[in-house]
Amino acid sequence: MFAGLKIKSQLCWRALLAKDATLKAYQQALLDTLDKPLNEAELLAIDLEMTGLNAHFDQILSIGLVPIRQGQLVLKEAQHKLVQIEGSVGQSATIHGILDNHLDAALSPEQAMAWFLAETKGKVLVAHHAPLDLAFLQTGIQAYLGEKTQLLAIDTLLLEKKRLLRQHEHLQEGSLRLGKSRARYGLPVYAAHNALIDALACGELLLAQIAAMGGMDSVKLTELLG
């Protein structure tokens, strides 16, 4: 209960302090969503591919979004966008497979952030190791709107860590990675390092975690965020 009140209080302050109308409306819409039962709230699994892991220096290359509605992944509304960068993708191409020429018709960073804010408004983000993705998105939004903001997301890695620690399991190196976490629930193996596939994989993991916690009717949205 107290965690839920803390989250709502933070969102209220973010909405109040936001100077940009888009950010103010974005935070207010999320605050309204948190008042809904989990099975009525719209969730959105996300993943990014980047040129590296430092949000201050590296750049977003692609964004994948997969809606989760009433306990189901809505694949027909899934989206994947490539994003232009300054310079070359360099050696990072060996990880994600995105080449410089793939970005010729990609969205500009400003277009990508405008699209992201429009598509995710009023929806609770879901990501595996959320702080990394959120850091890049917050940097991109600040560059686009000229104002800092904080995003909120359900972190499936953190949920899995808490579950394993409650069971007094030893956390081995790499045991919280997306593929390893999915394997504990019997979920299939997917190719990694594609933003859309990884967003889908993250969404499936969340639904498995919720089922293990008692199901959509038993879990509060704020419990997943706390």
Side-chain angles (χ1 to χ4, degrees), residues 25-100:
Y26 189 93
Q27 299 288 7
Q28 183 59 55
L30 184 55
L31 185 60
D32 295 340
T33 298
L34 291 188
D35 286 328
K36 298 179 181 179
L38 180 58
N39 61 0
E40 294 180 15
E42 289 210 42
L43 311 181
L44 195 66
I46 69 166
D47 188 74
L48 310 180
E49 291 301 324
M50 300 86 73
T51 58
L53 300 178
N54 190 321
H56 296 293
F57 302 105
D58 295 308
Q59 302 171 75
I60 297 172
L61 288 165
S62 65
I63 305 174
L65 306 178
V66 180
I68 305 171
R69 195 173 298 135
Q70 295 181 332
Q72 294 186 331
L73 294 157
V74 188
L75 297 184
K76 66 179 181 180
E77 296 180 18
Q79 298 187 66
H80 181 242
K81 300 292 185 182
L82 294 174
V83 185
Q84 295 172 2
I85 62 169
E86 293 184 6
S88 171
V89 300
Q91 291 299 311
S92 69
T94 60
I95 297 174
H96 47 66
I98 299 172
L99 304 178
D100 290 337

Side-chain angles (χ1 to χ4, degrees), residues 81-192:
K81 300 292 185 182
L82 294 174
V83 185
Q84 295 172 2
I85 62 169
E86 293 184 6
S88 171
V89 300
Q91 291 299 311
S92 69
T94 60
I95 297 174
H96 47 66
I98 299 172
L99 304 178
D100 290 337
N101 65 317
H102 294 162
L103 304 178
D104 289 344
L107 298 178
S108 69
E110 294 78 16
Q111 289 172 327
M113 291 303 99
W115 166 79
F116 176 82
L117 289 171
E119 292 297 324
T120 63
K121 183 178 178 181
K123 299 170 186 175
V124 177
L125 305 180
V126 181
H128 197 75
H129 190 24
L132 178 62
D133 289 333
L134 296 189
F136 274 86
L137 291 165
Q138 287 165 180
T139 297
I141 290 169
Q142 182 179 1
Y144 167 52
L145 294 176
E147 182 177 345
K148 288 185 177 181
T149 192
Q150 286 184 281
L151 300 174
L152 183 68
I154 297 169
D155 188 349
T156 50
L157 184 151
L158 183 58
L159 288 178
E160 192 64 8
K161 181 179 180 179
K162 289 179 178 179
R163 185 182 76 86
L164 294 177
L165 290 177
R166 281 197 299 268
Q167 296 176 354
H168 305 289
E169 291 195 28
H170 176 65
L171 299 180
Q172 297 180 341
E173 184 177 354
S175 64
L176 294 174
R177 290 181 179 174
L178 183 55
K180 292 285 188 180
S181 297
R182 286 172 55 83
R184 283 189 286 272
Y185 295 89
L187 295 169
V189 176
Y190 291 156

